[in-house]
Amino acid sequence: MKVRTLKLREAHKSINGNNDINPSFCSVLWDQQALHLVTASSSDPSISIHDPLLPSNPPKILRHHRDGVTALALSPNSTCLASGSIDHSVKLFKFPSGEFETNVTRFTLPIRALAFNKSGSMVAAAGDDEGIKLINTVDGSIARVLKGHKGPVTGLAFDPINEYLATVDSVGTVLFWELQSGGILHTLKGVAPNIISDTSFVNVVSWSPDGETLAVPGLRNDVVMYDRDTAEKLFSLRGDHVLPVCYLSWSPNGKYMATSGLDRQILIWDVDKKQDIDRQKFEDRISGMAWKPIGNALAVIDVMGKYGLWESVVPSSMKSPTEDIPSLKNSNGVLLFDEDPEPSTSGGLSEFGEDSLGESEPCSRKRLRKQSEFEDPDEDIDDELSLLPKTEPRKKVHRSSKDNLDKGNGLRSTVTSARLKMQEAFQPGATPPQRGKRRFLCYNMLGTITTVENDGYSHIEIDFHDTGRGSRLPSMTDYFGFTMASLNENGSVFANPCKGEKNMSTLMYRPFSSWANNSEWSMRFEGEEVKVVALGTAWVAAITSLNFLRIYTDGGLQRHILSLDGPVVTASGLKNQLAVVTHVSDCLPSNDQMLEFRVFDISNGTQPLTGRLPLTPGSHLTWFGFSEEGQLSSYDSKGVLRVFTSQYGGSWLPVFSASKEKSDESYWVVGLNASKLFCIVYKSPDMFPQVIPKPVLSLLNLSFPVASSDLGADALENEFIMNSMHLSQIQKRMEDMAGACLDTTALDDEAFNMEATQDRCILRLIASCCNGDKLVRATELMKLLSLEKSMKGAIKLVAALKLPNLAERFNSILEERLVNESKGTYKSPLLNSNDRASLTADAAISKTMVTSTGKNETPEPRIAFSSPTLSAPLFIKKANKQEHEKSYENQTVNAKTSMEPSNAEKVKSAENVIGVEVKMTGEVLKVQSQRPSNPFLKSSNNQETSKKDLDQLTSLHPSNPFKRTH
């Protein structure tokens, strides 16, 4: 075979910072119409756009990077050019104009690889950093970060059918990623050369144009072909390369392949015959190649920055490289940031399940997959995305059957995009199975249930966090293969799915103690399988694949069988309450799960709560349960914890966001209480806690994801919202206890103490508002104070800060509050309209009644359980009516508030004023009609309030201003 030579022309100079000539990695690309050639070099910060028809014309130069350009990618319709550089940035340009569009993302280390998906709606970027970023070109947002490689990622390739992303790193590991879930399907370790010591060439991967085969440089100076679905080695191209292959490129029709090696030659292969048909020798290594999309030619560039065009690559006697190109769906190309996206794009991720060969198969299709000898099951899990719902890729179908399908039904040839599969059912507190390793079946605030498979059966152990609870429970031999469990104080429940036709799903309950022997029981299901289990007080629940909710007593009596509206996602139990989450419908085009929750009261046979379960956009549910106080809670894969509250007719409040914490840590939720989140903290590449070593439980403060305000008091504002939520929870519990005719004294005191805590927080916020000159906001906060002592403290605070107008306004608010309380018309600022109506009715009942003798008699005040008000006066318990009336004889109160200025002392600081304990006594407070020495107070007409007006005032114990008089 004759060896020809090809003359190359210089496009970039391979000169480093010391003016030394060094080999550099260079790239070359064709546009869709073969009208332009794009070149770049890792030693040159500029990008060149050449005219291949007139190579003597000077190229168009794009100078936007500060360092060498290491990666190029063109969108399928050639309207957008992406470039990555050693300067850590990825930039987008309009093509072919070269107009700079945007910096789409930045890394902390150099970028080595870029690739567009087939529609151009997403670009993948990777390099020396840990993690591959999938970026929406519609809005520039980062859709996912894929983590799994141990070395720098040097090659990326979206498969033409848009189901997989193949990646390779500098140590020779190839990963197959499923785009819908972000999980790793296959791991091929050490199948490509180790090139970590040389950055002048890179490991690459490339899909065949029909998407059936992935080509990877091999370890024997060859190219190895792997099956798309099983990752099995199919065959290799091995010929006259005497050194490793450093770059490869498929012809447009997939019949030919060009490979360049470290031996400075290019071989052209007939892939079907597995033999080379032509070759070309060069002076330097060829680091980049690109087949001409229209015509029989190959563009090449070497490590010295010289490029050229190899014409008539394939002999004329053979089929042209552009003949019989596989028919895939035509792309509309990239959608730039200022363009309106097509309805079908949905940010790019909705196309991940798209079947480009005209097949419309259901999401439940199974993968024809064999275990690869290279696959490491322990690494078949991706960071934080491993629990995302997965859609199985399509089966391999022979081309002839595809052609027949297209010919037989023209409608079926229209491609339909498959949406993200609905999230699979999961057990809260369980970890995924790991071959040969112990896993958690249940991890909650009480204890853990672990299992490990051994010789076809499993050993299950139950451990309690409180070692003083009693003797350790003996381990159990599991012959059923239980995969889900739940644990509470009374016992544990286990279940397994179906494993074949003869192995039915089994539900088993084991109490920890019983007065009778053989108290353990089990149920077997034929034609259905258990998906989720839950436990409560004297009941066991199992939700099955037929959407049946089956409820049993702890003795095994079948009590109820309910039909749910949709497939179950998860369930959790606490005492008499069972909470179940189900799917409402298929996922939205934006890949958002549509979930609904229901809370059942098992003892009463009622359903007190139902509604939609909110999730962060693009996330899925990862934990669901009750707090220690019995508050329903959820946690999603984006790291947002929500709790359910009765406020606003029943709403979910975000009380924790992982994004506000350390970015390199993730949290595996175990439980929570009123103020703390109990979780296990783990870092990448771990995706969940391991049983051994024993994980450490961490406590994190709950906090709302408040916006950064202009006060700079985010912590105080968060505390204010959190206290308001706690007050609402206390009031709801008081109402529930009152409805059950239970004593609410303890909650009464707890609510009053919480109001005092909230007042202290509000006072600190008022001080911040005054310092930030936000006086209107300070006035709003003044109206939210509950205790009279706190309002007087606020007046002294603003007086000390020398804000006389604000002090006068505060004093007016206090006067109005006292008058309204004396008339029984005071309305708490924390109440909604319905609550205020209830409070007004209660106040009307407690007004002074006129007896037949014409004397006013004040009835004994009562606690208004039906009113959700949280203000201090409603929590006051007074003595009997005789003592109450006797106290009137010694008390008269003026509607004005006294504030004596002292010229002998200096005005104290704001912090000291807040901390001052204002002494409250039962003595009569009188105010003169006018006090010239106090410019902050309005004049008075020396009118005193009547005994009737005093009836509604708050009475505080003299020795403790935060303790009510009983």
Side-chain angles (χ1 to χ4, degrees):
M1 185 178 296
K2 183 179 178 181
V3 178
R4 297 177 296 175
T5 58
L6 178 67
K7 185 178 179 180
L8 303 180
R9 68 174 62 238
E10 185 177 80
H12 305 274
K13 293 185 178 182
S14 298
I15 300 176
N16 60 18
N18 298 324
N19 291 326
D20 296 329
I21 298 178
N22 286 331
S24 304
F25 176 74
C26 299
S27 310
V28 63
L29 293 176
W30 282 102
D31 68 342
Q32 190 179 34
Q33 300 299 324
L35 299 177
H36 303 88
L37 267 177
V38 187
T39 61
S41 170
S42 61
S43 62
D44 186 356
S46 64
I47 301 170
S48 298
I49 301 177
H50 307 268
D51 184 349
L53 300 178
L54 299 171
S56 59
N57 287 351
K60 182 183 296 182
I61 306 297
L62 309 182
R63 295 184 176 90
H64 290 272
H65 285 287
R66 298 192 304 271
D67 211 331
V69 178
T70 52
L72 292 176
L74 263 175
S75 62
N77 67 346
S78 300
T79 60
C80 183
L81 172 67
S83 63
S85 169
I86 298 175
D87 65 9
H88 313 165
S89 67
V90 176
K91 300 179 185 293
L92 290 184
F93 303 86
K94 288 184 178 180
F95 193 85
S97 67
E99 179 183 350
F100 175 73
E101 192 68 30
T102 184
N103 286 310
V104 70
T105 191
R106 286 192 64 84
F107 286 71
T108 59
L109 294 173
I111 288 94
R112 301 294 177 188
L114 293 173
F116 279 96
N117 66 346
K118 83 173 172 124
S119 67
S121 61
M122 181 159 290
V123 63
D128 295 350
D129 278 40
E130 179 185 6
I132 303 162
K133 293 183 180 180
L134 302 184
I135 306 158
N136 286 320
T137 56
V138 177
D139 56 8
S141 63
I142 296 177
R144 283 195 176 101
V145 178
L146 309 178
K147 296 182 180 180
H149 281 284
K150 305 301 182 183
V153 177
T154 61
L156 297 167
F158 285 96
D159 87 283
I161 305 171
N162 226 28
E163 285 183 350
Y164 302 146
L165 173 71
T167 60
V168 63
D169 57 32
S170 59
V171 297
T173 299
V174 175
L175 298 182
F176 285 60
W177 304 84
E178 189 178 42
L179 291 175
Q180 283 188 352
S181 66
I184 300 175
L185 289 179
H186 307 284
T187 300
L188 309 181
K189 285 189 172 181
V191 297
N194 188 326
I195 52 98
I196 198 168
S197 59
D198 190 350
T199 59
S200 65
F201 76 100
V202 297
N203 277 330
V204 295
V205 288
S206 182
W207 292 97
S208 60
D210 62 2
E212 299 294 339
T213 308
L214 180 71
V216 182
L219 300 176
R220 300 180 179 179
N221 307 331
D222 58 353
V223 176
V224 184
M225 305 294 181
Y226 295 94
D227 182 81
R228 67 168 280 110
D229 290 320
T230 66
E232 291 181 331
K233 180 178 178 179
L234 299 177
F235 60 91
S236 63
L237 302 179
R238 190 175 183 185
D240 289 342
H241 279 301
V242 295
L243 290 175
V245 172
C246 61
Y247 203 85
L248 54 88
S249 179
W250 290 90
S251 66
N253 62 359
K255 180 173 176 58
Y256 307 104
M257 174 177 283
T259 61
S260 66
L262 299 182
D263 54 7
R264 297 182 299 172
Q265 64 175 337
I266 293 178
L267 298 184
I268 307 299
W269 300 84
D270 185 321
V271 177
D272 293 335
K273 296 180 180 179
K274 304 179 185 60
Q275 65 181 16
D276 59 298
I277 58 176
D278 203 352
R279 71 190 62 185
Q280 182 85 259
K281 189 76 173 180
F282 295 87
E283 295 180 359
D284 296 290
R285 285 200 317 264
I286 299 298
S287 62
M289 298 179 293
W291 285 85
K292 190 175 183 179
I294 302 174
N296 183 10
L298 181 73
V300 300
I301 190 169
D302 64 18
V303 293
M304 306 310 292
K306 293 181 291 185
Y307 81 103
L309 195 61
W310 181 357
E311 300 282 359
S312 301
V313 182
V314 177
S316 57
S317 59
M318 303 179 68
K319 181 181 291 188
S320 168
T322 58
E323 185 179 350
D324 295 334
I325 296 177
S327 57
L328 298 174
K329 181 182 177 182
N330 290 331
S331 168
N332 289 328
V334 69
L335 298 172
L336 295 177
F337 304 113
D338 55 351
E339 297 177 355
D340 292 328
E342 295 289 337
S344 62
T345 57
S346 300
L349 280 177
S350 63
E351 299 183 2
F352 280 177
E354 195 172 53
D355 189 343
S356 301
L357 296 179
E359 300 169 332
S360 179
E361 296 183 359
C363 292
S364 60
R365 57 188 183 264
K366 302 296 182 182
R367 179 187 294 113
L368 296 177
R369 176 184 175 187
K370 298 178 182 179
Q371 187 72 21
S372 171
E373 60 179 333
F374 301 106
E375 191 170 343
D376 185 355
D378 292 338
E379 291 193 10
D380 196 14
I381 304 168
D382 179 43
D383 181 39
E384 91 171 76
L385 301 167
S386 62
L387 299 179
L388 279 171
K390 294 184 178 181
T391 300
E392 299 290 350
R394 60 169 183 76
K395 295 179 180 180
K396 288 190 66 177
V397 183
H398 294 292
R399 187 178 304 279
S400 59
S401 64
K402 298 173 189 172
D403 295 340
N404 293 335
L405 177 65
D406 291 340
K407 293 177 182 178
N409 188 351
L411 296 177
R412 290 290 298 275
S413 64
T414 302
V415 178
T416 59
S417 66
R419 294 179 180 174
L420 186 69
K421 186 178 178 182
M422 293 189 298
Q423 179 179 355
E424 296 290 341
F426 72 95
Q427 195 71 32
T431 57
Q434 302 174 84
R435 185 176 303 174
K437 293 185 179 181
R438 185 172 290 275
R439 59 171 290 211
F440 289 110
L441 292 180
C442 176
Y443 194 131
N444 59 23
M445 297 294 290
L446 181 66
T448 63
I449 301 178
T450 60
T451 183
V452 61
E453 186 177 352
N454 185 13
D455 296 333
Y457 56 90
S458 302
H459 290 286
I460 292 179
E461 294 184 359
I462 301 177
D463 296 299
F464 296 101
H465 301 314
D466 182 6
T467 56
R469 178 183 175 90
S471 58
R472 182 173 180 175
L473 296 174
S475 61
M476 178 181 74
T477 301
D478 170 22
Y479 296 99
F480 297 96
F482 293 131
T483 60
M484 61 199 87
S486 186
L487 172 71
N488 69 1
E489 297 83 356
N490 303 318
S492 55
V493 62
F494 303 88
N496 68 296
C498 298
K499 293 183 179 180
E501 297 180 357
K502 297 182 179 180
N503 191 342
M504 292 187 293
S505 182
T506 303
L507 175 73
M508 186 177 74
Y509 176 72
R510 296 186 69 194
F512 294 142
S513 61
S514 177
W515 59 271
N517 295 327
N518 197 25
S519 56
E520 175 183 306
W521 55 266
S522 63
M523 302 282 173
R524 305 192 72 183
F525 304 95
E526 185 174 357
E528 62 182 316
E529 63 178 359
V530 179
K531 292 292 186 180
V532 177
V533 295
L535 275 179
T537 302
W539 58 265
V540 177
I543 299 105
T544 70
S545 56
L546 297 182
N547 299 342
F548 287 163
L549 168 58
R550 298 179 176 271
I551 301 174
Y552 306 85
T553 65
D554 56 359
L557 178 64
Q558 303 190 46
R559 288 297 307 275
H560 306 285
I561 302 177
L562 308 178
S563 286
L564 300 176
D565 293 342
V568 66
V569 178
T570 191
S572 181
L574 178 70
K575 298 181 181 179
N576 295 326
Q577 291 187 316
L578 168 64
V580 180
V581 178
T582 58
H583 287 283
V584 177
S585 66
D586 288 337
C587 300
L588 295 177
S590 58
N591 296 331
D592 292 331
Q593 302 284 329
M594 298 296 292
L595 306 182
E596 182 180 57
F597 74 96
R598 291 184 176 189
V599 178
F600 300 93
D601 190 318
I602 304 299
S603 59
N604 297 324
T606 60
Q607 183 178 302
L609 292 175
T610 184
R612 291 289 179 89
L613 182 67
L615 294 174
T616 306
S619 71
H620 61 280
L621 188 65
T622 59
W623 181 85
F624 186 75
F626 292 91
S627 69
E628 290 188 348
E629 293 77 19
Q631 196 168 17
L632 197 59
S633 311
S634 70
Y635 188 76
D636 62 35
S637 59
K638 297 290 186 180
V640 177
L641 177 71
R642 296 174 175 87
V643 298
F644 184 82
T645 176
S646 59
Q647 290 179 304
Y648 294 97
S651 301
W652 290 84
L653 305 181
V655 296
F656 177 83
S657 178
S659 62
K660 299 288 185 179
E661 306 293 327
K662 296 180 179 179
S663 59
D664 60 339
E665 293 181 342
S666 299
Y667 307 98
W668 198 73
V669 175
V670 175
L672 69 153
N673 61 16
S675 60
K676 298 288 184 180
L677 172 65
F678 296 83
C679 63
I680 296 171
V681 181
Y682 62 90
K683 296 184 179 181
S684 299
D686 295 332
M687 277 62 71
F688 46 80
Q690 302 293 329
V691 178
I692 299 174
K694 186 176 181 180
V696 177
L697 202 60
S698 300
L699 277 68
L700 302 177
N701 291 324
L702 298 182
S703 66
F704 285 88
V706 296
S708 298
S709 72
D710 49 6
L711 284 182
D714 295 352
L716 282 176
E717 291 179 316
N718 180 78
E719 181 184 350
F720 169 75
I721 303 176
M722 192 69 68
N723 290 340
S724 299
M725 182 189 71
H726 292 161
L727 283 169
S728 175
Q729 295 172 3
I730 294 170
Q731 179 62 28
K732 182 64 169 61
R733 285 186 289 167
M734 289 182 64
E735 292 175 356
D736 294 340
M737 293 179 66
C741 299
L742 301 175
D743 183 22
T744 61
T745 302
L747 288 178
D748 183 26
D749 293 338
E750 183 180 352
F752 189 87
N753 292 335
M754 180 55 67
E755 283 194 328
T757 300
Q758 180 73 315
D759 277 5
R760 288 193 290 269
C761 176
I762 292 175
L763 286 172
R764 293 196 295 271
L765 277 173
I766 290 175
S768 296
C769 290
C770 293
N771 291 331
D773 199 24
K774 304 296 180 183
L775 304 186
V776 174
R777 199 176 308 173
T779 305
E780 295 172 344
L781 289 167
M782 173 67 175
K783 296 177 181 179
L784 296 178
L785 290 169
S786 298
L787 304 178
E788 181 183 348
K789 172 212 165 202
S790 303
M791 301 183 77
K792 291 180 178 179
I795 296 173
K796 288 189 176 182
L797 168 65
V798 297
L801 293 174
K802 298 181 180 181
L803 298 171
N805 293 332
L806 188 61
E808 183 176 357
R809 186 174 293 273
F810 277 17
N811 189 71
S812 299
I813 295 172
L814 176 57
E815 289 178 9
E816 183 180 358
R817 173 78 63 86
L818 292 174
V819 171
N820 290 338
E821 287 179 348
S822 67
K823 294 179 180 179
T825 60
Y826 169 66
K827 300 177 182 179
S828 171
L830 299 177
L831 303 181
N832 57 35
S833 57
N834 295 332
D835 298 335
R836 288 177 177 173
S838 176
L839 175 59
T840 304
D842 293 338
I845 294 174
S846 63
K847 282 185 177 180
T848 305
M849 295 185 296
V850 180
T851 64
S852 59
T853 60
K855 295 182 179 180
N856 291 343
E857 293 185 1
T858 302
E860 181 178 355
R862 62 180 179 86
I863 299 177
F865 294 116
S866 61
S867 174
T869 179
L870 298 175
S871 71
L874 293 183
F875 296 118
I876 297 170
K877 293 184 177 180
K878 298 183 179 179
N880 57 38
K881 185 169 68 175
Q882 289 78 11
E883 294 178 352
H884 183 63
E885 291 177 346
K886 185 177 179 181
S887 66
Y888 283 155
E889 299 175 359
N890 298 322
Q891 293 184 10
T892 56
V893 178
N894 191 288
K896 303 291 184 178
T897 303
S898 173
M899 195 175 83
E900 282 285 338
S902 175
N903 295 328
E905 296 180 357
K906 295 181 179 179
V907 178
K908 296 182 180 180
S909 65
E911 291 79 3
N912 292 333
V913 173
I914 295 173
V916 168
E917 291 289 340
V918 181
K919 295 182 179 180
M920 304 286 291
T921 67
E923 298 178 357
V924 178
L925 300 177
K926 295 184 179 180
V927 181
Q928 297 180 359
S929 60
Q930 294 182 355
R931 301 186 63 91
S933 60
N934 189 347
F936 304 128
L937 299 182
K938 292 181 179 179
S939 61
S940 174
N941 294 325
N942 267 339
Q943 296 178 353
E944 296 181 353
T945 58
S946 64
K947 296 178 180 180
K948 177 182 176 181
D949 294 336
L950 185 64
D951 182 47
Q952 298 296 325
L953 293 179
T954 302
S955 177
L956 299 179
H957 195 279
S959 61
N960 186 352
F962 291 101
K963 183 176 180 63
R964 286 181 296 279
T965 304
H966 296 278

